[in-house]
Amino acid sequence: MSQLEAVHSCKFFSLTETPEDYTIIVDEEGFKELPESEHLSVAEATWLALNVVSGGGSATNSQPIGVTKIAKSVIAPLADHNISVFMLSTYQTDFILVRERDLPMVMHTLSSEFTLLRVINGETVAANSLGVTNGFVKPKLVPRPIIHPLSSPSNMFCVTSLDPDTLPSVATLLMDVMFYSGGMKEPGASSEDSGHIRFFSFSLIEGYISLVMDEQTTPRFPNNVLFTSASGELWKMVRIGGQPLGFDECGIVAQISEPLATADIPAYYISTFKFDHALVPEENIQSVIGALRTNESAGQ
């Protein structure tokens, strides 16, 4: 773990632990460094990471928007065009991963509302249209009821970060938290369990670190290492899915994020290999569950 920052060939790395497994999101250079293993399941297709920012996309002016702020302007239109997405919220920003083969449709869908830029060899340049200018029929908007079971574990979580320079000093602790403290995975772990669950997420993307951990884990870190808000805000989780969701279904993120956007409730959203997870402020959990249950009932 202490070597991650020094491996310049890998610019995008995320590892999330759930009760069922570990999900790794890594760029192509990082993927080449992973050892072959019969225990490693790899999703088909190559994915591209979209990042919505304000300020024109320059490094000095850009500010992250937030998942609920882009629910209706980005996530919903992609769902309306049957584009499957994979979400990764971090302490700094939100990434929307789309299949590379869907890029022409993505650009067509978003180009009327956004200036589209691509980062190539570290430089931000205007994205071309890929020859897509017309021919796509505007979809008919329909209600988007929640069709997958929801559960809310009893844990409370912290969303935090740390200075990359301190990473070597806590590398052993991070390794223990991610791989050893929780023991072996239980093959029969239930996604319906409303009790305490194992969940930990670590991301190192373009030099920025993001962490999501149970509040009981934070005291294990040295004082003043983790970045925390002045209010010490805690987050509750909503888990989406009663069985593995797969990667082809469209609209799952929109089903969750749109009601939260309507209620103006901030959220972190982390997709994993089998299930999705939304984190909302602790004080909003009851209203969130109520809003989502209403949408869930509409889908039955």
Side-chain angles (χ1 to χ4, degrees), residues 114-183:
F114 297 92
T115 300
L116 304 179
L117 306 171
R118 295 195 71 173
V119 179
I120 301 177
N121 297 325
E123 295 187 6
T124 301
V125 298
N128 60 48
S129 64
L130 301 181
V132 178
T133 56
N134 54 46
F136 293 113
V137 178
K138 186 174 182 179
K140 182 179 180 180
L141 303 184
V142 296
R144 216 184 317 273
I146 295 172
I147 60 176
H148 293 285
L150 306 175
S151 61
S152 182
S154 60
N155 323 42
M156 288 188 288
F157 295 90
C158 299
V159 181
T160 184
S161 181
L162 55 81
D163 188 329
D165 291 339
T166 66
L167 185 57
S169 67
V170 296
T172 301
L173 173 58
L174 281 171
M175 293 286 286
D176 182 64
V177 169
M178 286 191 286
F179 300 116
Y180 300 108
S181 296

Side-chain angles (χ1 to χ4, degrees), residues 42-69:
V42 182
E44 296 181 359
T46 301
W47 297 69
L48 300 176
L50 307 181
N51 182 213
V52 182
V53 297
S54 63
S58 68
T60 55
N61 296 329
S62 298
Q63 295 294 327
I65 301 297
V67 66
T68 51
K69 300 299 183 183

Side-chain angles (χ1 to χ4, degrees), residues 268-283:
Y268 287 88
Y269 199 104
I270 299 178
S271 301
T272 62
F273 208 83
K274 293 182 178 178
F275 300 103
D276 282 10
H277 310 79
L279 292 158
V280 298
E282 173 194 5
E283 64 272 16

